[in-house]
Amino acid sequence: MNDDVRNIVLGVVAAGISAGLGWLARTYLWRRRLRRKQAFFGLPENSECLLVVNRDPATAEPAVHRFDVFALLELAALIKDCGANVEMVTQDGVRQGFGERTEFCVGGPGSNRRMLAHMSAMLPGFRVNIDPEPGPDRGAFQIGTERYRMDPGITEYVLLARLTTGERHGSRPVFLFCGQRAINNQAATRYLARHHERLARKHGADSFALLLKVVNSQAYGPDVVELVADVTRAVRTPLADPVAPTSHRAP
């Protein structure tokens, strides 16, 4: 074997080793990211989770608003990426506590009884005006002494929360997507899909609640979302009645 052939063989071998090491490194990083994602969502491989579906309050028939359907599809994609299995249950068909399985609960308390139960049990400092009569406070959020009114299609709010009981190791989280309108629920699921890595780095396994503002949904749909505040402490502190809330509304 002359020097030229030897150099060619050595070059091929070195390229093969480099490609193999690169593949191993990429696989390791991909698996590490997947494990972190699974840990954040409480969805190890082949685990079971619960997807709680609300109903469209605008109709008397059992139906789901199309934007809530889009939200459910985005959550289903996240669940599939984690390699978990999902059981879809209607908001009035859940008969279990929380912590055994990861739960994704979509819709405000006016369209989702399960959401109302979670708010009563875990979010005593958060209220939603579900009065069906028209008025400036219809659908408004109250968090502590702050009130967040919506201007439909212009400025709307949604609470995105990840809650754990903290009573035992391995307890699975509950994710809440509580919007003033159905499109806000989809905005929150999309926000979670885009920012779950950053949220995992910041909060780890701890509970959190974020108030998000959906900007000009009539033009931008669920895509333009701003973080208003981390309201974790406020929503977990019982409201002191009577309170004169400070209102927030788009000018």
Side-chain angles (χ1 to χ4, degrees):
M1 180 183 296
N2 59 37
D3 291 343
D4 291 339
V5 174
R6 184 183 297 108
N7 290 337
I8 291 173
V9 171
L10 291 175
V12 171
V13 171
I17 293 174
S18 297
L21 291 175
W23 179 82
L24 288 174
R26 288 192 299 271
T27 301
Y28 171 76
L29 292 174
W30 175 79
R31 290 187 180 277
R32 186 173 68 171
R33 290 183 65 184
L34 177 60
R35 287 194 296 270
R36 289 177 176 176
K37 186 176 184 178
Q38 290 172 330
F40 176 74
F41 287 108
L43 295 173
E45 191 80 17
N46 295 319
S47 60
E48 301 290 333
C49 70
L50 201 62
L51 194 54
V52 182
V53 184
N54 67 338
R55 62 174 178 80
D56 186 351
T59 176
E61 299 297 325
V64 180
H65 196 285
R66 66 188 182 95
F67 288 120
D68 286 326
V69 173
F70 296 152
L72 297 172
L73 290 174
E74 298 205 21
L75 291 174
L78 282 175
I79 295 167
K80 182 179 179 181
D81 287 344
C82 292
N85 304 309
V86 62
E87 179 185 356
M88 191 172 294
V89 185
T90 58
Q91 51 90 27
D92 55 354
V94 186
R95 297 291 186 273
Q96 67 174 54
F98 45 82
E100 294 298 325
R101 293 188 288 176
T102 294
E103 178 181 335
F104 301 90
C105 190
V106 177
S111 64
N112 191 327
R113 295 179 185 174
R114 183 72 170 176
M115 179 67 72
L116 182 60
H118 287 323
M119 287 172 56
S120 299
M122 296 184 283
L123 302 177
F126 176 52
R127 291 181 186 170
V128 180
N129 187 329
I130 58 175
D131 188 346
E133 296 299 322
D137 285 334
R138 183 180 181 182
F141 288 177
Q142 183 177 339
I143 300 174
T145 59
E146 306 290 328
R147 179 176 292 156
Y148 299 88
R149 293 172 172 170
M150 68 171 171
D151 188 358
I154 304 299
T155 301
E156 298 147 345
Y157 296 93
V158 54
L159 186 78
L160 167 62
R162 178 189 187 274
L163 305 174
T164 58
T165 61
E167 295 177 355
R168 59 182 177 82
H169 179 71
S171 178
R172 301 291 173 80
V174 176
F175 288 87
L176 305 182
F177 308 87
C178 181
Q180 293 175 325
R181 298 175 66 219
I183 196 170
N184 309 147
N185 299 329
Q186 186 191 3
T189 59
R190 186 164 295 183
Y191 183 92
L192 181 66
R194 290 175 176 173
H195 300 287
H196 66 84
E197 291 184 350
R198 178 176 61 80
L199 294 173
R201 287 193 299 269
K202 181 176 181 180
H203 300 283
D206 296 333
S207 298
F208 65 81
L210 306 177
L211 181 66
L212 307 175
K213 180 167 68 174
V214 183
V215 180
N216 201 0
S217 62
Q218 64 184 2
Y220 303 129
D223 285 336
V224 182
V225 179
E226 299 176 359
L227 174 62
V228 177
D230 183 330
V231 295
T232 307
R233 179 175 297 181
V235 297
R236 305 196 80 173
T237 303
L239 292 173
D241 291 325
V243 175
T246 302
S247 296
H248 296 263
R249 189 166 183 171

